Every structure is written in structure tokens, then in C-alpha cells.
Amino acid sequence: MARDIRRVAVFCGSSPGVDPSFVSSAHDVGRGLAERGIGLVYGGGGHGLMGAVAQGALDAGGEVTGVIPQSMVEREWGRHDLTELLVVETMHERKAKMAELADAFLALPGGIGTLEEIIEVWSWRHIGFNDDPVGFLDVNGFWRPLLAALGGLVEAGFVRREAIDDLVVATTLHEALDGFGK
């Protein structure tokens, strides 16, 4: 069944990581979304993978909505050349606004914040707070250790296999969008 995906929230690192392919993949995701007429919703940052995904979408003429807490704007972590920059007070408000704006969620490589954000929306999906698809872009096997750990949660009886199977795991944006039902 085809889903109407107008905007994808991308969670990713505010730093570039050690593998140059992380940055190029982030740029490609932004560009690819824009080329398909899909808007990007992201954390509003200007550095690392965040900056690259936004730049890719902007370079291709795409719609880019950043959502960033005021404290991060004050530290000059945000971009001001976006289609729209929404400034909120807290991280909780940021995540709620991103969830409100997006029709699907995709995690690129990142750190603790990226992991927390994608796990939260996945959890929301499984307790019925939304029905938006959730996925991981597995650039060069980045997410394999996490996916193996999640398999351990199934084996230990804390997560149903169906919850893991519900995740979209892809190596390209095209595969991710196919998995999202786009």
C-alpha cells in the first residue's frame, strides 16, 4: 500500500564522524528527498551530518524545515538559510514538533541524540501514538551492532520479533522509501 510521504524527519549526527562516506551519504539523502519532492525535517544544525543533509536538500531546491532549541541557536549551532527554521524552548518540544511535521523517520549515522530520537519515535509507533514508518540508513554497516543488540532484546523476551521486523533497514534512500511504502 502506498503511503503519502510528504516530509521525512532525518535524525543524524551533528558531527561528521570518522568515515567520509557518512557526510556524502547525508548530502545524498537530502538531495534525493528534494529530487523526489519530499521535504526534509531535521534538527536545524549547521554542522556534521545535519549540515550535510540540509545542504543536499537545499542544493536540489528542496524544502528544508529545521527545528532547534533556543539554547542551540544562542550557541550558533543552527542554520538560517533554510526554508523554515522553527525555534523551540526544549528538546522535548523539538522532538514533538518534528514528529508532528513528518510522515516517516530515518536515522543516519549519529550519536546518543540520534539514537534517542529514533528509538523514541519507534517506541511511539509500537504503543500506538503514531503509525509513521521508522528506519535506519545503514551506511557502511554503521547500525549493524545496534540491530544485533536489538535482536538480543528479542531473545531475552523484552521485544517482540514483529517490532524489529517493522523497522526499515536500508543501505540507500531509494530502499528506505520503498520500505516506507512510498
Side-chain angles (χ1 to χ4, degrees), residues 10 12 23 26-31 33-34 40-66 79 81-83 108:
V10 173
C12 58
V23 173
H27 188 275
D28 290 349
V29 164
R31 186 185 72 240
L33 290 172
L40 168 67
V41 177
Y42 86 114
H47 304 288
L49 302 192
M50 280 193 190
V53 72
Q55 193 62 54
L58 291 169
D59 288 349
E63 173 192 291
V64 181
T65 302
R79 290 183 71 138
D81 60 343
L82 308 175
T83 309
L108 277 58

Side-chain angles (χ1 to χ4, degrees), residues 40-159:
L40 168 67
V41 177
Y42 86 114
H47 304 288
L49 302 192
M50 280 193 190
V53 72
Q55 193 62 54
L58 291 169
D59 288 349
E63 173 192 291
V64 181
T65 302
V67 185
I68 190 167
Q70 179 63 40
S71 63
M72 291 181 175
V73 171
E74 291 167 5
R75 294 180 193 149
E76 299 182 1
W77 289 355
R79 290 183 71 138
H80 299 282
D81 60 343
L82 308 175
T83 309
E84 183 175 27
L85 181 65
L86 303 173
V87 180
V88 297
E89 288 303 312
T90 69
M91 291 296 284
H92 294 292
E93 290 176 55
R94 177 198 214 178
K95 292 183 296 182
K97 179 53 81 173
M98 290 177 73
E100 175 188 322
L101 295 171
D103 304 304
F105 302 90
L106 185 63
L108 277 58
I112 295 168
T114 302
L115 184 58
E116 185 265 338
E117 290 165 330
I118 198 70
I119 294 294
E120 183 169 57
V121 294
W122 180 43
S123 172
W124 291 350
R125 178 173 166 85
H126 283 280
I127 58 176
F129 284 13
N130 73 50
D131 66 349
D132 299 327
V134 176
F136 291 87
L137 192 68
D138 194 26
V139 179
N140 290 340
F142 179 83
W143 291 114
R144 276 188 223 139
L146 173 66
L147 296 169
L150 293 175
L153 297 177
V154 171
E155 291 171 15
F158 290 106
V159 175

